[in-house]
Amino acid sequence: MATSTSAKKHLATTLLVPELRRKHYAQTVADSKAGKKVAWCSNNIPSEILEAMDITSVYLENYATVCASKRLSSAFCRAGERAGFSQDVCGYARILMGYLLGGDDLPEAPYGGPAKPDILIVNSYSCDSRMGWFTTMARTLDLPLYVLDSPYQPGGGCTDPDNIVYTESQLRGLIAFLEEYTETSFDPTRLRQRLELAAKANDIQVEIYQMRKHVPSPMGAGDAYTAVWPGMYLTGSEECDRFYEQLRAEMRERIENGIGIVPEEKLRLMWSGLPFWYNMSLMNYFEEKGGVVAIENAFFRQLRSLPQQDEDPVRDMALRSTMRRGYAGGIGERIDLTVEVAREYSIDGVILSYNPSCRLFYILQPALKNALDRAGIPTLALECDMADERTYSEGQVKTRLDAFMERLLARRQGDRREIRPS
Amino acid sequence: MDIGSASSKALILEKGEVVEHAILPTGAESASSAERVMEMALRQAGLELDDISYIVSTGYGRVIVPFADEEITELSCHARGAHRLFPEARTVLDMGGQDCKAIRCDAQGRLGDFAMNDKCAAGTGRFLELMADVLQIPLNEIGPLSLEATDEVRISNTCAVFAKSEVAALVRQGRDRAEILAGLHQAIATRVHALLRKVNVEPEFVIAGGIGKNPGVVRRVEAKVGLRALLPPEPQITGALGAALFAADRVAEGAERRRREPIA
């Protein structure tokens, strides 16, 4: 499996990301050497708070995707398994535990390895696997761990005052923890500055996501999974805002000039779940036959603008987090959102990525399939891990993709039930 | 052409009717298996390769048939082939040598939803070959024998590798072989039923592939699904039939032979 596995990028702005990412990781290492405190974080830990307190953050799940994209997942997962972690455990966790506990025979880690941590911060927002993972790391590395808990939030945004009070107390607890363990102090003004920049970037991303409804699609998942990176990991910075301004400008130009991903767009697909980070070229696989992966459902934060709710920045964050649609509301909300998106983006077929080691997404897919069946939208199941490349079999995956394309193209040619509401 | 992992099939269609077909085991070299089985079918039909207007290849080895004009997946080809044999077919179960597929098709024989098990041997010909070997019973006798049992030994392992040692232990304990076979066939039927449920079975229900010749599996799957299974007289050539029908479509559309280069 030595051939190139990155997605081909159709947008120039997206090509900037690898260098932004390399620089960012290099900066975290430089920060550590300069005496700044480093926090190892799970996704959705608010970096705005950390950055406002001069604490450097390293997001481990992202680091694991970098390992996977550089074709290192086999070695690190194997090391993780040798250290005692089951193959059923999150691929990201196995990669990092393999990195931490593996021996001298491990290949060199990307960017020379993540910057050494002083503290660990995990949240319960996305899944429970990461809770076990970070607790294990805290014990293994003998480092302080803060668990940021997010309450269950039923039904599309939640205004339950108890949830808001609880979320705010969790954030204030994080700040107190940071002040204690990193000997820094919290300045609400600095946080407010970062939140304003982050909100601006978020709103531009919302616009960009709306633009992706356009036919022909100006940006597909091949670019999107990379273009989402600055918003997740550079949030609250001028650099991040500049990136999305540039991306938006490029999108506008493409739409004005009718530039799509393929010359003749025959099929629009959605990718549900995480992609296979070790083979992103699959996002381009359909392009030869006029198919585009027009949208993905993994990162829904960008679908909604979250205006300022309160003067106090911490309370503001608590209020806005309860407005988010995404993982906190249970499966029903995520399914409804996905079906809604499939209709709005004129989707012909949905690829269901059953990542064996990611329950957050795996759990969703069968029920989502039923909902899409009822909506008359064809689906295809692919069973490969998002991080562990040993689960991927080229022939098997391509047979399924080819068959799905055959099915969808034949459907277009023949008598076809109208699947989109008028 | 249907180049599977266990067997290769060639089928020649003329004016919409099957003229000849041939089946050979696929050896290590898929490309040469394709050539040999094609030669066999042509010889039987008294034809040359140049007499063939268009060739569609399907199956696991579809990409390396040197003389194919086009490749179409076995999912589409089985749907098409089964539908040709049974126009009322809407669900096809293809139990092949090394994989198992549940396929839906519409009233025109077009591919609908599908589910594949190509990650493990349970529910495949390979599993049954292995079991026949452990029990020292000819492959074509295990199905009928499994139906003679009045009781059934429950096999706890659905994994072929572990089932093999489990069965060997049962034989050593002197357990009745018909009852062991009943348990094995039930395990297969259970596994296959789980696959079928993913695509929502609708009648008519067709069982294609070599295992369609095993009445022990067929009866038990029918019982689980709650539908009578329609069985092609030659269950292994359903895919090749579908491929040939697609080839005929291309000729009708005026497609020229392309004789694509094989993948190196």
Side-chain angles (χ1 to χ4, degrees):
Chain A
M1 286 204 285
T3 49
S4 167
T5 54
S6 310
K8 175 180 158 216
K9 306 296 186 295
H10 292 273
L11 274 73
T13 314
T14 323
L15 293 170
L16 300 173
V17 174
E19 178 56 20
L20 283 176
R21 184 166 51 216
R22 190 203 59 75
K23 257 178 45 192
H24 170 76
Y25 276 100
Q27 186 63 51
T28 62
V29 172
D31 286 351
S32 175
K33 293 202 170 104
K36 280 179 77 172
K37 298 294 181 184
V38 174
W40 274 10
C41 302
S42 59
N43 273 351
N44 299 118
I45 292 294
S47 66
E48 295 93 334
I49 291 178
L50 277 70
E51 292 295 324
M53 295 172 74
D54 289 319
I55 297 164
T56 298
S57 50
V58 177
Y59 287 83
L60 295 186
E61 284 140 317
N62 180 247
Y63 189 76
T65 70
V66 174
C67 293
S69 71
K70 292 188 187 296
R71 315 300 306 281
L72 300 170
S73 68
S74 305
F76 286 110
C77 282
R78 234 179 268 130
E81 285 152 29
R82 272 202 304 267
F85 296 93
S86 157
Q87 266 191 341
D88 296 325
V89 164
C90 167
Y92 299 151
R94 268 180 291 145
I95 285 173
L96 267 299
M97 295 315 297
Y99 167 75
L100 286 173
L101 301 172
D104 299 326
D105 58 344
L106 279 183
E108 188 179 325
Y111 313 125
K116 298 223 178 317
D118 296 292
I119 55 175
L120 306 173
I121 312 172
V122 70
N123 61 354
S124 64
Y125 176 65
S126 301
C127 71
D128 59 335
S129 295
R130 51 165 65 163
M131 306 276 274
W133 171 22
F134 272 66
T135 314
T136 304
M137 281 196 299
R139 270 193 235 129
T140 307
L141 300 170
D142 192 22
L143 290 176
L145 167 70
Y146 186 80
V147 177
L148 182 74
D149 191 26
S150 300
Y152 170 63
Q153 295 180 156
C158 168
T159 51
D160 182 337
D162 286 342
N163 270 352
I164 295 162
V165 167
Y166 183 68
T167 304
E168 187 182 339
S169 75
Q170 287 290 301
L171 290 170
R172 295 207 185 275
L174 171 62
I175 291 167
F177 169 85
L178 294 172
E179 284 182 323
E180 183 184 340
Y181 283 99
T182 64
E183 289 159 7
T184 53
S185 61
F186 173 65
D187 176 358
T189 315
R190 292 187 64 193
L191 176 59
R192 172 56 68 200
Q193 282 165 357
R194 295 201 76 92
L195 289 177
E196 273 165 13
L197 289 168
K200 196 159 156 237
N202 183 65
D203 287 350
I204 299 173
Q205 287 177 84
V206 170
E207 268 188 74
I208 289 170
Y209 269 75
Q210 292 300 316
M211 285 193 238
R212 290 176 68 188
K213 290 179 185 172
H214 192 264
V215 180
S217 175
M219 171 162 79
D223 280 272
Y225 277 116
T226 297
V228 80
W229 187 86
M232 291 178 78
Y233 304 110
L234 299 180
T235 185
S237 70
E238 304 261 359
E239 192 171 32
C240 179
D241 284 15
R242 276 199 303 273
F243 175 85
Y244 288 109
E245 276 160 8
Q246 186 176 330
L247 186 61
R248 176 178 54 185
E250 189 178 359
M251 292 284 282
R252 282 182 178 149
E253 200 188 311
R254 287 173 74 84
I255 289 176
E256 264 159 37
N257 296 310
I259 301 171
I261 298 164
V262 293
E264 194 200 335
E265 197 173 276
K266 291 189 183 150
L267 290 177
R268 293 169 66 85
L269 303 166
M270 174 195 282
W271 189 283
S272 168
L274 296 171
F276 312 148
W277 297 111
Y278 46 82
N279 189 357
M280 295 303 287
S281 68
L282 285 180
M283 298 299 157
N284 306 115
Y285 184 71
F286 316 93
E287 290 170 17
E288 250 175 44
K289 299 188 182 149
V292 302
V293 183
I295 190 71
E296 61 289 341
N297 78 346
F299 308 113
F300 276 152
R301 193 178 2 177
Q302 293 78 7
L303 292 181
R304 170 176 288 204
S305 181
L306 301 169
Q308 182 175 334
Q309 301 293 303
D310 197 283
E311 281 298 310
D312 179 278
V314 180
R315 184 161 171 76
D316 187 19
M317 288 181 79
L319 283 160
R320 286 194 283 157
S321 78
T322 61
M323 291 164 63
R324 274 200 238 158
R325 298 171 79 186
Y327 307 135
I331 290 178
E333 183 179 70
R334 294 168 67 198
I335 290 173
D336 291 344
L337 191 53
T338 303
V339 176
E340 198 181 296
V341 167
R343 289 203 170 105
E344 286 174 20
Y345 287 69
S346 310
I347 297 303
D348 297 302
V350 178
I351 295 171
L352 303 170
S353 172
Y354 280 72
N355 311 123
S357 79
C358 181
R359 290 201 303 282
L360 170 66
F361 283 100
Y362 193 117
I363 289 286
L364 181 71
Q365 311 291 21
L368 178 57
K369 178 187 194 301
N370 292 340
L372 289 166
D373 282 348
R374 284 192 297 271
I377 300 172
T379 61
L380 172 75
L382 293 180
E383 291 163 52
C384 301
D385 200 54
M386 69 288 182
D388 186 349
E389 67 182 3
R390 297 169 301 166
T391 61
Y392 178 81
S393 164
E394 179 108 332
Q396 291 176 0
V397 167
K398 295 210 167 151
T399 296
R400 285 165 168 81
L401 295 175
D402 288 344
F404 195 49
M405 286 281 289
E406 286 164 11
R407 175 186 176 191
L408 296 178
L409 288 169
R411 215 172 121 107
R412 278 180 75 94
Q413 276 161 24
D415 292 337
R416 192 177 144 203
R417 276 183 297 149
E418 185 54 55
I419 60 166
R420 303 186 194 115
S422 49
Chain B
M1 310 293 304
D2 180 358
I3 312 303
S5 44
S7 63
S8 296
K9 286 78 73 174
L11 183 144
I12 304 174
L13 213 59
E14 187 178 354
K15 294 195 175 69
E17 295 302 320
V18 181
V19 167
E20 274 301 337
H21 73 266
I23 308 173
L24 283 176
T26 304
E29 295 289 314
S30 302
S32 72
S33 298
E35 275 161 358
R36 282 183 296 115
V37 75
M38 187 71 209
E39 269 164 40
M40 195 168 142
L42 287 168
R43 213 178 332 116
Q44 286 167 200
L47 294 169
E48 306 280 335
L49 190 61
D50 282 343
D51 296 326
I52 310 295
S53 311
Y54 202 88
I55 299 176
V56 167
S57 62
T58 190
Y60 169 75
R62 66 188 179 279
V63 299
I64 55 172
V65 177
F67 41 84
D69 298 299
E70 189 178 334
E71 301 135 28
I72 298 179
T73 67
E74 58 268 44
L75 288 315
S76 292
C77 289
H78 275 287
R80 188 75 190 274
H83 179 265
R84 167 60 193 275
L85 295 169
F86 304 104
E88 297 307 311
R90 299 294 178 265
T91 311
V92 183
L93 172 66
D94 174 44
M95 300 184 71
Q98 291 189 27
D99 71 10
C100 202
K101 301 178 274 285
I103 301 165
R104 288 294 307 275
C105 67
D106 67 9
Q108 284 78 45
R110 284 184 308 215
L111 176 66
D113 201 5
F114 60 89
M116 297 178 74
N117 168 24
D118 47 11
K119 292 206 183 301
C120 85
T124 69
R126 196 75 194 92
F127 181 71
L128 287 173
E129 278 170 21
L130 214 62
M131 296 302 133
D133 191 51
V134 172
L135 292 165
Q136 296 284 288
I137 296 172
L139 189 60
N140 63 347
E141 286 176 28
I142 57 172
L145 187 56
S146 79
L147 293 171
E148 286 175 26
T150 46
D151 209 348
E152 175 184 303
V153 173
R154 201 165 171 279
I155 306 296
S156 61
N157 278 294
T158 48
C159 172
V161 176
F162 296 117
K164 186 177 174 188
S165 37
E166 187 175 350
V167 166
L170 290 166
V171 168
R172 280 196 300 275
Q173 287 165 26
R175 302 297 295 270
D176 180 62
R177 290 188 306 171
E179 288 178 10
I180 295 172
L181 280 169
L184 285 168
H185 283 69
Q186 189 62 16
I188 292 173
T190 305
R191 192 94 170 91
V192 156
H193 183 227
L195 190 72
L196 281 165
R197 287 184 63 189
K198 288 184 182 176
V199 304
N200 301 314
V201 181
E202 294 275 348
E204 298 288 345
F205 172 52
V206 177
I207 298 182
I211 304 180
K213 296 184 196 168
N214 179 321
V217 172
V218 171
R219 299 269 178 83
R220 288 181 175 87
V221 170
E222 282 177 328
K224 285 208 169 279
V225 166
L227 290 173
R228 165 192 65 121
L230 300 175
L231 304 172
E234 284 288 349
Q236 286 177 279
I237 59 166
T238 319
L241 173 59
L245 288 164
F246 281 119
D249 286 352
R250 300 291 183 265
V251 173
E253 289 159 18
E256 300 263 312
R257 261 187 270 177
R258 275 195 295 249
R259 296 295 139 93
R260 291 142 62 89
E261 293 303 315
I263 311 289

